[in-house]
């Protein structure tokens, strides 16, 4: 009898509940926006009670779409965004909002910790980011001491969702290692890290560590009543979403790189080694036992959505009135233009940069005869250049990959995927599944339930390539020249961004 698996993929922008069978076939999906809250600038939170209710409704809906009962689900896995902070009180009750990975309230804390990161890098093999849980905990300790004193358990996003289903508080090891909590050599919590972040009280609040395919717990009676799942159904440890996408696309060693072009620009590969401190790269524990080496920044497809709202309001409205999407029109535009079309460079730093902390989104090369179309194509190209910037950093600690397996919203545009192959000068492949976080979770469930003996075997059996894109030499040559200009401007502007940011802040204050 074919087994079915349900994955909850809780992203910072959208949350999806997907059902796959053991052959990797997607049976149904239900999605809803992850409704973040922004109580003040830089604060990105989520109402956890509302999240629980929205998840229950989505699970009921996806079972209905698949025409399945809870009894026909053999296993469940949770997948979620990395970083951020989800806490419970001493009695394991919700008492404050969750904090999403886009949160920047602790930016100054992170900068100060990063200045001293050499003291802990040999332990965690991590640099410091504003949305890492230890940094947020220090901010809460200093700014909201009453809430800090109530904390009884510290979780990541998908571990919190696992708790909602099972009532069990456990932390999957990959997320913990990517959050500056673990000694990568011992694969255990390390008190020195908690002392470094000045949160020693939290060391005893950390849950038991488990692996992605370990049993977390089973569906409780209460969760079954809310979701229509079967009480007692096994729930497995789960994964950080980039781990799930890597496994779903068959990126299991350093012969391939995984590129995720979505809201975030994510570029990763599993390795037997770790990246050194001077590389600026992040290390974490991959579900297969290897190390995951990561280069990432918020410089990907999210920038395109913002620019389209700025420049193409009328076109978006007209496309909607005509019964299609602006992206359909843009796909036809990309198909009929090439690397020679735009003489403009775009730097996709609307949400942050991968080059300088204060760098912001910019067009360079605008002329009196520059068209809107040139600007739009430059945005597509600039996002690909931002990925190339990260890929080159990964290659410095590894080698050029044989192929790149790509995922994320950019994969909806075949022309953009071809552009990535040309800019990166590496073949790019797409796999059959569209909901890759969901497939990665299903692969973990398939191993957890014993259908397959390992993640490697399950990945080979449940994932397959549907399309291959080779670099086009004439386009590669042009993009290489454009990218060198992109790098030259980055270098030239490196010392200018902070002064400009201070000017902007001063102008805002004067208003």
């Amino acid at each position: 009898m074919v087994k079915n698996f349900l994955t909850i993929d809780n992203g910072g922008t959208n949350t999806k509940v997907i059902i796959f069978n053991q052959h990797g076939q997607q049976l149904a999906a239900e999605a809803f926006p992850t409704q973040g809250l922004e109580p003040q600038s830089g604060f990105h939170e989520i109402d956890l009670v509302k999240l629980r209710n929205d998840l229950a409704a989505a699970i009921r809906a996806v079972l209905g779409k698949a025409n399945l009962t809870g009894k026909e689900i053999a296993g469940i896995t949770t997948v979620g965004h990395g970083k951020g902070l989800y806490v419970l009180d001493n009695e394991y009750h919700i008492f404050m909002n969750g904090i999403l990975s886009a949160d920047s309230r602790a930016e100054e804390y992170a900068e100060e910790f990063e200045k001293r990161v050499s003291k802990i890098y040999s332990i965690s093999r991590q640099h410091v980011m504003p949305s890492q849980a230890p940094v947020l905990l220090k901010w809460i300790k200093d700014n909201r001491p009453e809430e800090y004193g109530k904390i009884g358990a510290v979780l990541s996003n998908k571990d919190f969702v696992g708790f909602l289903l099972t009532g069990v508080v456990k932390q999957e090891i990959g997320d913990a290692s990517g959050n500056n909590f673990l000694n990568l050599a011992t694969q255990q919590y390390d008190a020195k890290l908690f002392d470094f972040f000045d949160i020693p009280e939290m060391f005893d609040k950390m849950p038991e560590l488990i692996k992605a395919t370990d049993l977390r717990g089973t569906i409780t009676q209460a969760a079954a009543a809310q979701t229509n799942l079967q009480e007692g159904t096994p729930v497995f440890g789960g994964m950080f979403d980039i781990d799930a996408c890597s496994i779903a696309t068959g990126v299991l060693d350093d012969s391939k790189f995984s590129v995720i072009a979505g809201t975030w620009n994510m570029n990763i590969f599993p390795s037997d080694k770790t990246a050194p401190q001077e590389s600026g790269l992040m290390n974490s524990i991959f579900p297969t036992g290897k190390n995951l080496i990561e280069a990432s920044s918020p410089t990907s497809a999210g920038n395109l959505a913002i620019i389209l709202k700025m420049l193409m309001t009328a076109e978006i409205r007209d496309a909607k009135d005509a019964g299609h999407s602006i992206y359909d029109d843009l796909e036809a535009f990309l198909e009929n233009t090439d690397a020679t079309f735009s003489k403009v460079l775009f730097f996709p730093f609307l949400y942050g940069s991968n080059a300088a902390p204060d760098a912001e989104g910019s067009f360079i090369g605008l002329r009196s005869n520059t068209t809107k179309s040139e600007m739009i194509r430059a945005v597509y190209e600039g996002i690909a250049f931002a990925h190339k910037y990260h890929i080159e950093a990964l290659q410095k600690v590894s080698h050029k990959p044989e192929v790149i397996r790509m995922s994320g919203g950019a994969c909806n545009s075949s022309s953009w995927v071809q552009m990535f192959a040309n800019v990166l000068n590496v073949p790019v492949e797409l796999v059959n599944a569209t909901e890759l976080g969901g497939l990665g979770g299903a692969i973990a469930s398939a191993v957890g339930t014993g259908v397959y003996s390992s993640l490697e075997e399950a990945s080979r059996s449940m994932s397959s390539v549907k399309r291959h894109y080779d670099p086009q030499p004439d386009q590669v040559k042009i993009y290489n020249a454009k990218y060198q200009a992109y790098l030259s401007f980055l270098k030239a502007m490196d010392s200018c961004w902070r002064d400009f940011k201070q000017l902007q802040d001063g102008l805002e204050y004067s208003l």
Side-chain angles (χ1 to χ4, degrees), residues 8-12 15 34 46 48 51 55 78-86 99-101 155-164 171 175 179 216 239 241:
I8 298 170
D9 184 359
N10 191 189
T15 297
T34 305
I46 183 167
L48 298 183
L51 175 62
L55 284 171
T78 58
V79 169
H81 70 77
K83 317 298 185 288
L85 181 66
Y86 294 74
I99 300 179
L100 297 165
S101 59
L155 297 168
S156 69
N157 168 270
K158 58 99 175 59
D159 296 307
F160 170 76
V161 175
F163 161 76
L164 294 178
Q171 176 108 266
D175 252 335
N179 234 333
R216 176 186 295 277
M239 305 179 201
D241 53 9

Side-chain angles (χ1 to χ4, degrees), residues 389-409:
Y389 189 86
H390 281 319
I391 294 291
E392 289 187 337
L394 292 179
Q395 288 179 186
K396 287 177 182 177
V397 300
S398 180
H399 50 73
K400 187 175 181 178
E402 298 170 5
V403 68
I404 283 171
R405 296 278 173 82
M406 193 168 161
S407 57

Side-chain angles (χ1 to χ4, degrees), residues 338-340 422 471-480:
D338 66 6
T340 64
N422 293 334
Q472 299 164 321
D474 62 322
Q475 299 290 291
V476 169
K477 183 177 180 180
I478 298 168
Y479 281 131
N480 280 344

Side-chain angles (χ1 to χ4, degrees), residues 214-233:
D214 286 348
L215 180 67
R216 176 186 295 277
T218 59
I219 295 294
T220 63
Q221 184 178 34
Q226 293 169 337
T227 63
N228 291 342
L229 291 167
Q230 176 78 2
E231 182 181 357
T233 304

